[in-house]
Amino acid sequence: MSHHIIQVNNLKYSYPGGRQALNGVNFQILHGESVGIVGANGAGKSTLLMHLVGVLFPDEGEIAVGEVPVIKKTLPLIRQSVGMVFQDPDDQLFMTTVYDDVAFGPRNYKLPEEEVEKRVRSALETVGILHLMDRLSYKLSGGEKRAAAIATVLAMKPDILVMDEPSSSLDPKSRRRLISLLRCFTHTKIIASHDLDMVLELCERTIIIQDGKVIIDGPTGEILANEELMEKCGLEMPLCLQGCPVCGTKKAK
Amino acid sequence: MSNMMTSLYNIRILDELAEKRTVIHNIHPLMKVLTTCLYLIVIVSFNKYELSGLLPLVFYPIIVIALADLPLVPLLKRMLIVLPLIIGIGLFNPLFDRSPMVVLPWIQLSGGWISFLAILLKGVLTILAALVLIATTGMTRIAAVLGMLRVPRIFILQLLLTYRYISVLIEEVGRTVRAYALRSRREKGVSFSDWGSLTGHLLLRTMERAQRVYHSMCCRGFAGEYHAGNTSKIRIEDILYFTGWGLYFVLVRFFNIPTAIGSLITGVVK
Ligand SMILES: Nc1ncnc2c1ncn2[C@@H]1O[C@H](COP(=O)(O)OP(=O)(O)OP(=O)(O)O)[C@@H](O)[C@H]1O
Ligand SMILES: [Mg+2]
């Protein structure tokens, strides 16, 4: 699997109980692209991302990652190449110490212990929490948990990175570190976020989702600067594109 | 309320203790599991009136707790939860079985009381041994050892996920009760009329949460097997630890040491 094209065709999903969360989503993401997925609360972003790693399966339509369809049988293969950071870091930390949590993935692939340690250290270093290595993961602060959750995925060295609101609850410095880290990550990345400034910095392409449907799919700069469109989707322009609240001048970008 | 949250923070104390580095913690998990198994077998093999023979077995948990530097209070608290059950099992023995028996040469009790105390002691020691094993080894390493011993994977998985689920459940209880307490005007507890919706809500939440945790495990290549990582080699010390305790248990099983000492003393006095 050298070329990781993600193909989503007419994806429909309703939660048990009848709530139709995805209502015919179509897109294609090419190798090396970085795509922002934005939309109001409850638009269906998390639901969509969970389909990409096979946590949920579509009622209708299909998904393929690099020609491999995402179905029960191919999950081990899919999960080796797609790493996902969940919206709630508590779901991702289930071992006792941070170290064991980050090592969980690499160990499952039966890597030698030295390699595991190397990966854990470098993953923790990239998110800047190497000093928390021996701490108990459930006693971390919200932002520290978030960083640890990201490290657990980085340690797997995925080819495709899928992140659900990675920057929420990070302090400005950690957020900045995350952004520069993600910029260095040259593989395909898909980021669902309400942090539109981050999307603007990281993703050349943006997909807006509303009520389980793709509203628009195109270059980030154009979409996020379109005030009317953003308003219609229950969103707001990124702060760095809005006028200065003090002096009223528009920042050019 | 604060009480509840602090006890919540303690649910994972066994996991925490297992991360310590002491003489006992450093002993190979396999040897610790085997020692514990042997200990349990020896305890169970005593018949119901053999109270005095059991007494020397008390030293095993005491010595291990001391060497492993474990705090007593949390262990005892966990034991209290199970204690009523054990007492319940033995409760009627003193009522029905009134024939007098000799415990030690200078002490006599009715058979019922002896068997009651023996059940109590056996119960306390087995639970203590299990708690000590978890607190010095950690559930994941125990699971790895069980795998080494060719215990079917499904049982190990069951054990691990149940163990995890309990902490997930209790954490969700804590959060829900906290949210409830902040919005209800009551000082303490949960009003009777709210119990139904609260427990139903909790069940759904914990199931959902457990499922999400499981999914995120699967996303990181989990295929039904835990890998505890650095499984160190078995050293001479580890084998000595096991054989040492093993010999002691066997000795205690076949020679009633307290009675021997007792008769020795009375012999000297005479
Ligand atoms: N477990 C569930 N059971 C039933 N319905 C759900 C469940 N999870 C989400 N939904 C519904 O599906 C819709 C899409 O939810 P989703 O979590 O995908 O939204 P989102 O875009 O990620 O929102 P947010 O920005 O708040 O994270 C919502 O209307 C939500 O009510
Ligand atoms: Mg979401």
Side-chain angles (χ1 to χ4, degrees), chain A residues 90-92 94 101 138, chain B residues 16 164 175 212 216 220:
Chain A
D90 273 327
D91 295 340
Q92 220 148 6
F94 41 77
D101 252 322
Y138 60 99
Chain B
E16 257 168 68
R164 269 287 151 260
R175 287 188 202 184
R212 271 179 292 149
S216 86
R220 282 193 272 151

Side-chain angles (χ1 to χ4, degrees), chain B residues 97-233:
Chain B
D97 187 354
R98 289 166 183 273
S99 53
M101 286 187 89
V102 179
V103 191
L104 292 173
W106 62 92
I107 303 177
Q108 282 200 354
L109 277 175
S110 79
W113 275 108
I114 292 179
S115 59
F116 174 65
L117 289 178
I119 287 177
L120 196 64
L121 190 61
K122 280 181 183 175
V124 166
L125 290 183
T126 40
I127 294 163
L128 203 55
L131 286 176
V132 165
L133 176 66
I134 299 174
T136 57
T137 313
M139 211 39 146
T140 44
R141 274 174 288 243
I142 293 176
V145 167
L146 293 180
M148 261 186 240
L149 295 175
R150 298 274 175 275
V151 174
R153 222 165 66 175
I154 186 88
F155 292 122
I156 301 177
L157 196 60
Q158 192 86 27
L159 179 76
L160 279 171
L161 293 186
T162 313
Y163 188 72
R164 269 287 151 260
Y165 186 72
I166 290 174
S167 45
V168 167
L169 175 75
I170 298 178
E171 275 163 8
E172 288 296 338
V173 171
R175 287 188 202 184
T176 310
V177 171
R178 178 167 56 187
Y180 176 85
L182 289 175
R183 273 184 288 158
S184 72
R185 274 176 289 152
R186 296 165 63 93
E187 285 289 296
K188 256 186 171 172
V190 175
S191 126
F192 187 68
S193 60
D194 293 336
W195 263 105
S197 65
L198 218 60
T199 45
H201 173 76
L202 254 177
L203 184 70
L204 291 177
R205 265 178 64 138
T206 51
M207 273 172 27
E208 203 128 285
R209 170 99 198 278
Q211 202 154 35
R212 271 179 292 149
V213 171
Y214 175 69
H215 280 314
S216 86
M217 287 166 77
C218 289
C219 283
R220 282 193 272 151
F222 179 71
E225 221 172 318
Y226 255 51
H227 301 278
N230 36 10
T231 33
S232 49
K233 287 245 163 54

Side-chain angles (χ1 to χ4, degrees), chain A residues 38-40 42-44 208-215 232-234:
Chain A
V38 298
I208 296 190
I209 294 206
Q210 190 176 24
D211 296 327
K213 272 198 193 117
V214 175
I215 295 291
K232 202 184 100 205
C233 301

Side-chain angles (χ1 to χ4, degrees), chain A residues 42 44-47 87 164-165 192 194:
Chain A
K45 303 181 295 295
S46 302
T47 313
Q87 188 162 2
D164 201 348
E165 308 200 14
H194 296 296

